[in-house]
Amino acid sequence: MSGFFKKNQQGEQKSENGIRIIKQTRPGECGGTDATLDEKAPKVISSTKMIRFEADSALHGDYLPLSKPPVPGETVDLEYLGYFSAFAAPAKDGFFLYLETAEGFRGGSAHRAGWAYVKDDIFPLLVALVNDCAIAKQNGYHSKTHGLPANFGGSALILYESGEKISFSDNQTPVFTFEAAKRIVGIFRTAMEGEKVSLPEVSALKEIRFEENRKNGGYTRAVLTLTENGGVNRKESRYDGPTVYQSEKEVSAETVAAMKENIEKTGVFAWSGLPQNDYRFKEAKTLTFVFEDGGEIAVTDDRVVPDGIRRGFFNIELEMTTKH
């Protein structure tokens, strides 16, 4: 064992920076659990300025009413909530929200997912929820059981303007109570029905440009010009050597339609104003959407985006740089 960890009086391993090793897989062990606790992670958050909310969990499920409260005497439509994933972050002109629910695990029966770019601030309600449900009590605990066929638990990452943070995860057991999950789903569903920030219509797209500049001086650039019958994709690439490779291919109307559907389902037009991811392991890539009125939206692939729609950027890149 590295000298980074020291034994405490109970024989547990404790690191110099306050990370306590609760469980650790032995070398060569198949399966097992790795669990740690950050003893410096606050259990009460003083800030009232939340700037990001990410939460997902399998649940010990139950039923909850669909949509708005029913009129007295009317039949109540119920749904079984066994999984949720919720995301909220400030964007350029509002707040980007994403909500996913299912009866069982992600992608299971009664799966529902959607995004919204809204004007009203959802964070005061989420601050109250975190405080009321004592969400920070789990702060700093992370556990991973190896060999599980699916994630039977969940995780949370909640950031505040003050620098305070709530972070916890466990892939073996639910990390949110049903009551907390029900409240989160309710807050998001109501907020996502609010006034939307205006975005260009996908039907007004005239051109899509892709650009990647690599550290070695290489690059890939592609321009998809839309036509009545689909489009024309022109690509130019240079790798390690001086040779520049060029190609021009027609793109079918079906492919263009699929790309537009991908844009609508993932909300890529709203990504430009989302926070930048702190972790980058590759060169920056940019998609620029050009519209018939001359307007443009440039989106880089380093935005913080919910997992459920993260492939929205890559799906377009794939069509423009690999398939064509």
Side-chain angles (χ1 to χ4, degrees), residues 199-207 226 260 264 269 289-295:
L199 290 171
E201 294 291 336
V202 71
S203 59
L205 258 180
K206 176 183 178 182
E207 188 175 85
L226 304 186
K260 289 182 176 180
E264 291 182 323
F269 288 169
F289 302 95
V290 183
F291 301 92
E292 292 174 352
D293 64 359

Side-chain angles (χ1 to χ4, degrees), residues 41-47 131 136-137 139 164:
K43 301 302 185 284
V44 176
I45 303 297
S46 59
S47 175
N131 295 336
K137 287 178 66 176
N139 199 12
E164 293 171 287

Side-chain angles (χ1 to χ4, degrees), residues 15-20 37-43 139-140 165:
S15 74
E16 297 286 0
N17 61 358
I19 306 295
R20 178 155 56 94
L37 177 64
D38 182 355
E39 296 181 323
K40 294 183 179 181
K43 301 302 185 284
N139 199 12
K165 176 176 73 173

Side-chain angles (χ1 to χ4, degrees), residues 48 50-53 86-91 94-99 116 118-130 183-193:
T48 59
M50 186 183 295
I51 58 174
R52 194 158 118 209
F53 182 91
F87 173 96
F95 302 87
F96 190 89
L97 312 179
Y98 175 81
L99 179 65
V118 300
K119 293 185 176 181
D120 292 337
D121 188 352
I122 192 177
F123 287 123
L125 294 174
L126 294 176
V127 168
L129 169 116
V130 168
R183 185 167 167 183
I184 291 169
V185 170
I187 289 172
F188 270 80
R189 284 184 174 165
T190 299
M192 291 170 75
E193 292 177 356

